[in-house]
Amino acid sequence: MKYLRYHIVAILLMLGFALETSAQTKVEVLTKTVEKSFGYRSGNTVKIVGESARINVTGWDRSEVKVVFKLIAKGLTKAEAERELKYQKYLIKDFDKEHVIKNFLLIPNELKELKTIQETEMTVFVPKKAKLIIENQYGETSLNNLDQKFTVVSEYGYTELSQVTGDFELESNFGDLLISDASGEMKLTLYLTKTTSDQFSGEGYV
């Protein structure tokens, strides 16, 4: 079977409206949880790529990376939720000095529209001083307790930084940004992004 990868944000919004307006109808919710851990070598980069995902990244004192995926499908029938939950895919793979973690959808070519709402949650624990690159479209991204250089690119999403130090770059297009309890050198590239900043010390460039 051939598959076509594409964004389905508009479809998901319409499905959400349909489910909300069917308040008297029971909604079936299925969740698949995947958990994996792997060792981290100092100097390597952890790259996280999300599509319509909620990404939560937290620094810890261990020399390993732990990833927890929650793949969720919400539909009017259990059969629909079970079938379309299989379209959600994830990848955890090493490429030389880069650890890649990502989610994506693979939808059959013959399928004209989804009948369920698809949601993905990624919870990632990384060493505090791990190098990070995070890219997320149409989702939410939160980072906390980090002490290293990192880069975040967000499009049409919400981004929150809390208890972070070091040098970091952030690009946000058509989104919302909240920065609290941060210090270091910060470079921001913002386009049509509502920004709230609290307790930041250091140098900032916009």
Side-chain angles (χ1 to χ4, degrees):
M1 179 185 295
K2 294 183 178 179
Y3 288 89
L4 177 65
R5 176 185 174 189
Y6 59 96
H7 296 299
I8 56 166
V9 177
I11 297 176
L12 294 182
L13 290 174
M14 288 187 289
L15 283 169
F17 177 77
L19 291 178
E20 287 180 2
T21 55
S22 302
Q24 303 301 319
T25 304
K26 180 180 178 181
V27 176
E28 296 287 345
V29 180
L30 293 184
T31 302
K32 178 181 178 180
T33 302
V34 180
E35 183 175 319
K36 290 183 178 290
S37 298
F38 56 87
Y40 173 79
R41 292 183 180 180
S42 179
N44 284 7
T45 299
V46 178
K47 184 175 183 178
I48 303 170
V49 181
E51 285 190 21
S52 304
R54 288 191 293 272
I55 301 175
N56 301 291
V57 181
T58 300
W60 63 358
D61 294 324
R62 301 182 187 181
S63 59
E64 67 175 5
V65 178
K66 179 179 178 181
V67 185
V68 180
F69 279 98
K70 283 189 177 182
L71 311 177
I72 304 166
K74 300 178 181 180
L76 296 180
T77 69
K78 184 177 180 180
E80 289 176 348
E82 286 180 338
R83 181 179 65 252
E84 297 192 354
L85 181 61
K86 297 177 182 178
Y87 302 154
Q88 292 204 44
K89 306 295 180 181
Y90 65 90
L91 174 70
I92 302 175
K93 191 171 183 179
D94 289 341
F95 294 92
D96 193 15
K97 294 184 178 182
E98 187 174 72
H99 308 288
V100 176
I101 303 165
K102 68 184 297 184
N103 81 294
F104 54 97
L105 286 171
L106 283 177
I107 302 174
N109 286 334
E110 63 272 17
L111 186 67
K112 294 182 179 180
E113 64 178 14
L114 291 175
K115 296 186 179 298
T116 62
I117 295 176
Q118 300 286 319
E119 298 178 356
T120 302
E121 297 179 7
M122 276 191 272
T123 301
V124 185
F125 297 91
V126 301
K128 288 182 181 180
K129 293 186 177 296
K131 294 182 179 179
L132 281 172
I133 297 176
I134 301 175
E135 301 173 358
N136 198 9
Q137 292 183 319
Y138 307 103
E140 300 177 8
T141 306
S142 67
L143 295 87
N144 66 88
N145 198 32
L146 297 173
D147 183 16
Q148 181 56 283
K149 180 178 180 180
F150 60 85
T151 301
V152 178
V153 179
S154 174
E155 294 187 4
Y156 300 95
Y158 173 82
T159 304
E160 181 176 352
L161 309 180
S162 176
Q163 295 182 336
V164 296
T165 61
D167 300 337
F168 53 93
E169 297 182 12
L170 189 146
E171 178 181 341
S172 177
N173 298 304
F174 303 98
D176 291 273
L177 171 63
L178 172 63
I179 302 174
S180 63
D181 194 10
S183 63
E185 185 174 306
M186 172 177 59
K187 180 180 179 181
L188 301 179
T189 303
L190 308 174
Y191 181 73
L192 294 180
T193 295
K194 180 182 177 181
T195 304
T196 304
S197 179
D198 182 39
Q199 295 183 354
F200 172 76
S201 62
E203 296 182 353
Y205 303 89
V206 179

